[in-house]
């Protein structure tokens, strides 16, 4: 009997090219950030169109996903997040990015952070105005301070600098960048009458820091 030709079986080739891996990671980061944004809006920390949030895609050069400006953050979807560079110029996406993205970039340039969150609450607004002349808020003696990365005792002293609010975000971001370089222990900054910026190694860690700061601000506000 003559030898029969061998049948060839085509195997399914899975594309694991770097481009596809990056796309998958970006999609996950979009979802991770949106999960945190949804938690924040549920807390009522983004009244009207307030607040902006980002997650880092690359640090050299800086690329980040950031929320668009002028929209209710309770209504945005993962696909609405804009990919921008360190000058907040849109790389991909439709919409206008917040000019405050320059402050996010300043954080990424000076901290080992992968997400930045910014909210407007009654407590942080009132306290930032009350202590503007002094230029900072210091908090110690509370157990929840241990929620901050690297803090292991309630006796820790947390210092949050306060900056005069401005519409000149390029200049303001330079001032903030300079202070962050000067003091590597800073975990958040306040803009007077405006709100807080804080950050972390992930959106979840940044949210943990934000929640702890807002708890502490409310305690201070109630104490008067």
């Amino acid at each position: 009997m003559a030898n029969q030709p061998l049948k060839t079986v085509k195997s399914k080739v899975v594309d694991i090219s770097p481009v596809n891996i990056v796309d998958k990671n970006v999609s996950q980061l979009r979802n991770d950030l949106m999960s945190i944004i949804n938690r924040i809006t549920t807390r009522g920390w983004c009244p009207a169109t307030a607040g902006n949030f980002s997650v880092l895609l690359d640090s050299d050069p800086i690329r980040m996903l950031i929320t668009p400006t002028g929209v209710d953050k309770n209504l945005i979807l993962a696909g609405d997040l804009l990919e921008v560079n360190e000058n907040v110029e849109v790389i991909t996406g439709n919409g206008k990015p917040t000019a405050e993205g320059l402050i996010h970039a300043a954080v990424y340039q000076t901290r080992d952070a992968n997400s930045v969150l910014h909210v407007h609450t009654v407590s942080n607004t009132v306290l930032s105005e009350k202590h503007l002349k002094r230029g900072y808020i210091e908090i110690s003696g509370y157990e929840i301070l241990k929620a901050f990365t690297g803090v292991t005792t309630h006796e820790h002293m947390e210092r949050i600098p306060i900056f005069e609010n401005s519409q000149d975000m390029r200049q303001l971001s330079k001032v903030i960048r300079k202070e962050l370089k000067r003091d590597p222990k800073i975990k958040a900054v306040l803009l007077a009458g405006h709100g807080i910026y804080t950050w972390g190694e992930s959106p979840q860690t940044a949210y943990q820091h934000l929640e702890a700061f807002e708890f502490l601000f409310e305690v201070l506000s109630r104490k008067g």
Side-chain angles (χ1 to χ4, degrees), residues 97-159:
T98 172
E100 293 174 40
L102 292 171
I103 296 177
H104 292 239
V107 173
Y108 293 133
Q109 291 164 350
T110 56
R111 290 293 184 272
D112 187 17
N114 291 304
S115 184
V116 178
L117 308 177
H118 167 59
V119 302
H120 302 208
T121 66
V122 173
S123 293
N124 71 42
T125 301
V126 170
L127 289 174
S128 63
E129 287 190 310
K130 181 178 179 180
H131 297 286
L132 173 60
K133 187 174 181 179
R134 183 171 64 176
Y136 61 88
I137 295 172
E138 287 185 338
I139 308 174
S140 184
Y142 297 97
E143 186 69 11
I144 202 168
L145 286 162
K146 291 162 61 178
F148 299 130
T149 300
V151 176
T152 60
T153 174
H154 67 285
E155 296 177 340
H156 167 78
M157 175 66 75
E158 187 65 32
R159 177 180 176 275

Side-chain angles (χ1 to χ4, degrees), residues 1-217:
M1 179 183 291
N3 292 333
Q4 296 295 318
L6 295 175
K7 293 183 178 180
T8 58
V9 178
K10 292 184 178 181
S11 59
K12 184 177 180 180
V13 177
V14 178
D15 186 355
I16 56 172
S17 65
V19 171
N20 279 352
I21 292 174
V22 169
D23 287 345
K24 181 179 180 180
N25 288 343
V26 171
S27 178
Q28 184 61 57
L29 288 172
R30 285 181 181 273
N31 291 333
D32 290 347
L33 183 58
M34 281 306 309
S35 175
I36 296 303
I37 293 173
N38 290 338
R39 293 176 70 179
I40 289 172
T41 57
T42 299
R43 302 291 294 270
W45 292 347
C46 293
T49 61
N52 43 75
F53 313 97
S54 72
V55 63
L56 188 66
L57 297 179
D58 198 352
S59 59
D60 189 21
I62 287 176
R63 291 187 303 116
M64 56 183 154
L65 291 173
I66 198 165
T67 46
T69 189
V71 297
D72 185 340
K73 304 309 182 295
N74 193 49
L75 301 178
I76 66 172
L77 303 173
D80 296 322
L81 298 174
L82 306 171
E83 181 180 346
V84 301
N85 61 20
E86 63 183 12
N87 295 313
V88 202
E89 297 165 333
V90 177
I91 299 172
T92 61
N94 298 310
K96 181 180 179 181
T98 172
E100 293 174 40
L102 292 171
I103 296 177
H104 292 239
V107 173
Y108 293 133
Q109 291 164 350
T110 56
R111 290 293 184 272
D112 187 17
N114 291 304
S115 184
V116 178
L117 308 177
H118 167 59
V119 302
H120 302 208
T121 66
V122 173
S123 293
N124 71 42
T125 301
V126 170
L127 289 174
S128 63
E129 287 190 310
K130 181 178 179 180
H131 297 286
L132 173 60
K133 187 174 181 179
R134 183 171 64 176
Y136 61 88
I137 295 172
E138 287 185 338
I139 308 174
S140 184
Y142 297 97
E143 186 69 11
I144 202 168
L145 286 162
K146 291 162 61 178
F148 299 130
T149 300
V151 176
T152 60
T153 174
H154 67 285
E155 296 177 340
H156 167 78
M157 175 66 75
E158 187 65 32
R159 177 180 176 275
I160 307 101
I162 305 172
F163 300 91
E164 185 77 57
N165 192 32
S166 172
Q167 300 307 308
D168 186 349
M169 287 301 156
R170 193 164 299 279
Q171 179 59 33
L172 182 56
S173 65
K174 289 180 180 178
V175 173
I176 291 174
R177 185 185 299 109
K178 182 178 179 180
E179 179 65 6
L180 293 180
K181 286 183 176 180
R182 188 195 68 80
D183 186 353
K185 295 180 181 179
I186 293 172
K187 301 177 184 66
V189 298
L190 283 163
L191 300 185
H194 184 160
I196 185 176
Y197 290 85
T198 190
W199 48 84
E201 64 180 11
S202 67
Q204 175 58 44
T205 303
Y207 179 78
Q208 177 178 306
H209 293 169
L210 177 63
E211 191 169 38
F213 275 120
E214 289 301 329
F215 174 88
L216 290 165
F217 293 155

